[in-house]
Amino acid sequence: TKTIWENREANLEKAEMLLECCKGKSDLLLFPEMSFTGFSTEVMKHGEEQEETLQAMKELVKKADTAVGFGWAKKVNGKCRNHYTILQPDGTELLDFAKIHPFTFSQEEQYVEGGDSLAYAPYKEFTVGTAICYDLRFPELFSALSKKADFIVVPANWPASRGDQWSCLLKARSV
């Protein structure tokens, strides 16, 4: 289902319907980068100080009884951090990751502050790690994550016109 551009409330409603349909049918449901607003350059407009998306998703995940990963923006130090959070079926946080490498070619670093730590956590019989979009271009991040993670989730808003690069980089990081 497509994201309704810059409309958090409508997208959360769509997520609720999707989670209801998936209830009892999935161990882990993953939404894309910036799940409920789209990857907007208006990130400061959508950045959250009170973690509204995180709180809303905690309630939805409890109803769905499945683990869910989703992206959102948190205001920090006059900028935003691009987060990806995975919640356990009971609504508690499994992991939270802030994108380390802002996309410099679009001057994302002007409004996005990069994170400073890796994120991985055990879930069921695996350890999951995460990176976000442009982080895929940095092999050292994946080398470090792969020392502990059995699989790495890489949510992205990657343009279709560069889909071949996306596939190539994903394969390279998995090797």
Side-chain angles (χ1 to χ4, degrees):
T1 163
K2 288 190 172 191
T3 301
I4 301 168
W5 192 250
E6 296 185 341
N7 190 334
R8 178 180 309 140
E9 292 75 23
N11 289 312
L12 282 168
E13 287 176 18
K14 287 175 76 172
E16 183 173 19
M17 289 186 297
L18 181 62
L19 286 166
E20 183 61 35
C21 290
C22 293
K23 188 173 183 174
K25 299 176 186 172
S26 175
D27 288 328
L28 177 61
L29 180 65
L30 301 170
F31 286 94
E33 175 184 23
M34 300 298 289
S35 306
F36 307 110
T37 59
F39 188 76
S40 170
T41 56
E42 299 289 328
V43 71
M44 289 304 291
K45 178 170 82 174
H46 303 294
E48 303 174 24
E49 293 176 2
Q50 304 301 317
E51 302 180 347
E52 299 90 344
T53 297
L54 180 61
Q55 299 311 316
M57 286 304 293
K58 284 181 177 184
E59 294 307 311
L60 293 179
V61 166
K62 284 188 242 180
K63 291 180 198 173
D65 193 33
T66 188
V68 177
F70 58 95
W72 59 289
K74 181 177 182 175
K75 288 185 179 178
V76 177
N77 302 325
K79 291 186 177 184
C80 282
R81 283 199 172 161
N82 182 342
H83 281 259
Y84 198 78
T85 303
I86 300 178
L87 299 176
Q88 299 185 82
D90 66 359
T92 60
E93 196 172 289
L94 179 68
L95 66 80
D96 181 64
F97 173 75
K99 179 179 178 182
I100 293 175
H101 300 96
F103 184 54
T104 53
F105 296 111
S106 70
Q107 287 121 18
E108 188 179 30
E109 75 280 356
Q110 292 178 12
Y111 49 89
V112 173
E113 177 178 277
D116 56 9
S117 61
L118 301 177
Y120 46 84
Y123 181 65
K124 299 210 175 240
E125 64 271 8
F126 301 102
T127 297
V128 59
T130 192
I132 299 174
C133 199
Y134 190 61
D135 287 331
L136 189 60
R137 298 230 181 227
F138 298 87
E140 63 280 359
L141 187 147
F142 288 82
S143 292
L145 273 172
S146 68
K147 289 179 180 161
K148 295 194 179 183
D150 296 306
F151 68 95
I152 302 169
V153 174
V154 188
N157 186 9
W158 202 276
S161 63
R162 293 199 305 265
D164 288 343
Q165 293 172 347
W166 170 252
S167 294
C168 180
L169 287 168
L170 283 170
K171 289 174 188 173
R173 297 307 166 250
S174 71
V175 172

